[in-house]
Amino acid sequence: MIVRTVQETTGTSRHASGPGWDSKRLIVAADNVGYSVHDTTVAEGAEQILEYKHHIEANYCFAGEGEVVDVATGKTYPLRPGSIYVLDKHDRHILRALKGDLRLVCVFNPPLAGDETHEDDGSYAPIGGVGVD
């Protein structure tokens, strides 16, 4: 059984951040469960252009308000507590935190190692070259 808290993850190698975002990786590849789980905050006013080329990601919003834009279609989806969105086709997207910090529980498959930050194209590199295509 794995039991871990956000507080004990803060400030460790499982805590990554960048301009406008902060992520505590509660479950990572080394935990050997086949996915990673993150408590992620996107700061109010932040906008990120992302595309996870090697991962499938699900995001459950539990605080704040924002939106996610499907770059391919231009369609914008509102995000509020209780919303989930899944990037099941490696969708290039724009994520915006509009009202308060956007708080998300993020699940990645395959899992992240824990210390990754976004590449220039908004993706994460696959661990050891293993990714979902």
Side-chain angles (χ1 to χ4, degrees):
M1 180 181 299
I2 299 169
V3 178
R4 197 168 283 132
T5 68
V6 169
Q7 291 77 17
E8 67 192 31
T9 304
T10 302
T12 71
S13 62
R14 293 171 179 250
H15 184 182
S17 61
W21 65 276
D22 182 85
S23 182
K24 284 92 172 177
R25 280 78 188 266
L26 299 166
I27 303 296
V28 297
D31 294 316
N32 295 311
V33 296
Y35 55 87
S36 58
V37 179
H38 316 172
D39 179 320
T40 299
T41 302
V42 180
E44 182 178 37
E47 176 179 289
Q48 299 178 311
I49 301 172
L50 304 166
E51 180 180 13
Y52 298 117
K53 298 176 180 179
H54 309 288
H55 300 87
I56 301 296
E57 182 191 25
N59 298 275
Y60 177 77
C61 177
F62 66 95
E65 293 184 19
E67 61 188 17
V68 62
V69 180
D70 182 336
V71 171
T73 66
K75 185 161 181 164
T76 299
Y77 301 89
L79 299 174
R80 293 181 182 82
S83 301
I84 190 168
Y85 68 97
V86 180
L87 305 162
D88 61 332
K89 295 178 179 53
H90 310 287
D91 313 270
R92 187 159 180 77
H93 60 289
I94 301 168
L95 179 63
R96 296 183 183 113
L98 301 175
K99 185 175 179 185
D101 291 345
L102 193 59
R103 298 288 310 279
L104 304 166
V105 174
C106 309
V107 178
F108 278 84
N109 180 20
L112 297 186
D115 59 353
E116 294 91 341
T117 58
H118 297 106
E119 303 281 322
D120 289 340
D121 64 1
S123 70
Y124 290 124
I127 295 175
V130 178
V132 176
D133 292 325

